[in-house]
Amino acid sequence: MKLRISSIPIMLAYLSEPETASENTAPLRKIFAHEDYLFEMRRYGLPSAEPLISYFSHLQSIKEEDIPDLSDQRKSALRDKHILWLDCASHPQKYYNRYEKVKHILCEESIQNLQHRLSAAFLHKASINDADIISTLSFGPSFGYVYENALHLDLFGMEDICTMEELPCIVLHEMHHLQIQKLIGSYHSFTRNFSLLDDYIFRFTGEGLAIKFCNNAEGIVSKRIDAHLNANIGLPAMPILNQHFTEHFHLFNDTVKRIGQNSISAGEIEEQFRSYWWNPHLYQDETDFLAQTPIYSFGNEIFGCIFDSFGMETMYECFYHPNKTIEYFNKANCGYRISET
């Protein structure tokens, strides 16, 4: 795996100028022609860099109401991060120090060690040597994601969403996603013959397995893999999510029953994931924003509990045949029981 972070000093050099507002947009056009920003533009569906050039060429003076939409799907992304970009322009050394720490933490030896650890999360040896680790000062809203054959981490989120000490676990988490991507290939082709129940359960595997094996996650019924390490490394939302496990379980169980009764549609399930399982603002009385959402913690509870009780082979049997998940979870005798359809 190769670490790609060369866009960061270029952007910092631009932001360090006394006045970034300029009619000369050539420096910005060069920055956003960098391969890592082109990667981000593809991921966020930007057909051109024009909204970015418009914003950054007037960063210091632009009014919030004049900040352009990033894209149709992520209209407020530039507005949401405006305060961070202003901070970066005012304190570039702070972010340059982060950049240097990332280079040190994710050296070649560290990446090789992470690849070795990744193999322990799968039945067979993980094979993502050809993938890249990319970090930028990101214009997008996501801290970490997998896209194409790379994983991306936003430098803005380091020492905020995660500490530098937690960073290797975050990278390992995204590496896990890359390996799952290699295992299943096209999501559509992998799930093509799934029933509605299979598809519903399978959606909890991605984040659930990643935090189980990469973040030493511990929930209510799923226990951490390494008792000698802290639980929930790089998962600041887990204490809140764990408090709501019973609520999560009841919704999951009720949905499983309704699928068996043919009383819920695929569209209703899609809306449930959008408004509940992936909702970062679900518990506004407790937090303004959940760094992880219930799909993370509940995926860990279901599949982590099966791993704890029956081991890796059974857990992956449920991965490939999600309808078996209910049977094995109920056999685990963890104090909760899913309705069998």
Side-chain angles (χ1 to χ4, degrees):
M1 297 186 76
K2 181 176 67 175
L3 179 64
R4 288 167 37 185
I5 55 174
S6 60
S7 70
I8 293 172
I10 300 170
M11 177 59 89
L12 287 173
Y14 175 81
L15 294 173
S16 299
E17 294 297 319
E19 179 54 67
T20 57
S22 172
E23 295 304 315
N24 179 17
T25 61
L28 280 170
R29 294 186 185 280
K30 185 175 180 180
I31 289 170
F32 290 115
H34 189 286
E35 63 171 338
D36 295 346
Y37 277 125
L38 291 175
F39 167 88
E40 279 213 85
M41 288 170 61
R42 291 194 300 275
R43 195 269 177 171
Y44 287 114
L46 271 67
S48 81
E50 292 309 313
L52 303 172
I53 292 167
S54 172
Y55 169 66
F56 284 101
S57 62
H58 300 92
L59 176 65
Q60 303 282 16
S61 59
I62 195 168
K63 296 178 181 178
E64 189 168 345
E65 61 267 25
D66 294 330
I67 297 174
D69 293 345
L70 180 63
S71 67
D72 289 341
Q73 291 75 33
R74 299 173 177 88
K75 291 186 177 183
S76 66
L78 291 175
R79 289 186 287 278
D80 292 344
K81 296 185 79 167
H82 184 53
I83 192 169
L84 290 175
W85 283 107
L86 290 176
D87 182 66
C88 191
S90 299
H91 307 98
Q93 189 61 44
K94 178 171 81 172
Y95 296 90
Y96 189 80
N97 290 343
R98 289 186 190 180
Y99 160 78
E100 290 293 336
K101 289 177 183 177
V102 171
K103 279 203 300 184
H104 175 72
I105 291 170
L106 297 181
C107 65
E108 186 175 346
E109 182 180 352
S110 296
I111 292 172
Q112 289 298 321
N113 179 53
L114 289 173
Q115 288 183 289
H116 176 73
R117 288 173 59 189
L118 182 68
S119 292
F122 293 90
L123 284 171
H124 306 291
K125 182 176 173 61
S127 57
I128 56 170
N129 291 332
D130 59 337
D132 292 335
I133 301 171
I134 302 172
S135 184
T136 65
L137 284 159
S138 177
F139 52 77
S142 298
F143 170 54
Y145 60 82
V146 163
Y147 181 71
E148 294 175 348
N149 194 35
L151 63 91
H152 179 275
L153 296 167
D154 183 0
L155 195 75
F156 279 123
M158 296 175 197
E159 298 184 345
D160 179 15
I161 292 176
C162 79
T163 66
M164 285 298 178
E165 291 74 23
E166 293 169 333
L167 182 60
C169 284
I170 305 301
V171 173
L172 187 61
H173 179 111
E174 299 302 330
M175 289 169 69
H176 190 280
H177 288 329
L178 273 176
Q179 181 63 20
I180 289 289
Q181 195 170 275
K182 283 184 176 287
L183 274 184
I184 70 173
S186 160
Y187 180 88
H188 175 73
S189 61
F190 184 79
T191 61
R192 181 175 52 223
N193 296 320
F194 277 8
S195 67
L196 189 60
L197 178 63
D198 287 329
D199 187 70
Y200 182 68
I201 295 172
F202 182 75
R203 291 196 191 197
F204 292 91
T205 60
E207 298 299 350
L209 297 186
I211 68 169
K212 174 71 174 180
F213 292 99
C214 305
N215 302 85
N216 211 34
E218 182 161 277
I220 303 304
V221 298
S222 175
K223 304 308 177 186
R224 72 184 91 172
I225 285 178
D226 190 337
H228 301 291
L229 290 179
N230 290 336
N232 302 319
I233 301 169
L235 301 173
M238 283 295 279
I240 294 172
L241 294 170
N242 284 344
Q243 290 173 20
H244 292 271
F245 168 74
T246 302
E247 173 190 322
H248 302 159
F249 185 83
H250 284 162
L251 177 61
F252 180 86
N253 194 38
D254 179 67
T255 305
V256 168
K257 282 195 284 189
R258 292 182 64 194
I259 290 172
Q261 296 162 355
N262 293 318
S263 62
I264 189 169
S265 68
E268 288 174 301
I269 288 176
E270 196 67 42
E271 175 59 21
Q272 182 186 115
F273 277 100
R274 187 198 67 77
S275 63
Y276 190 89
W277 297 111
W278 284 110
N279 186 356
H281 301 285
L282 197 58
Y283 305 118
Q284 294 184 20
D285 56 331
E286 298 172 38
T287 180
D288 290 332
F289 180 86
L290 287 169
Q292 292 79 40
T293 61
I295 199 168
Y296 286 74
S297 62
F298 197 72
N300 170 61
E301 299 286 19
I302 294 293
F303 289 92
C305 178
I306 291 170
F307 173 83
D308 295 342
S309 299
F310 305 107
M312 186 79 75
E313 288 196 13
T314 299
M315 187 192 73
Y316 271 100
E317 183 181 356
C318 296
F319 177 90
Y320 286 104
H321 307 281
N323 60 326
K324 295 187 177 183
T325 302
I326 298 172
E327 173 192 351
Y328 282 110
F329 181 85
N330 289 343
K331 283 181 179 178
N333 196 27
C334 63
Y336 292 83
R337 187 174 182 82
I338 302 170
S339 299
E340 298 189 43
T341 58

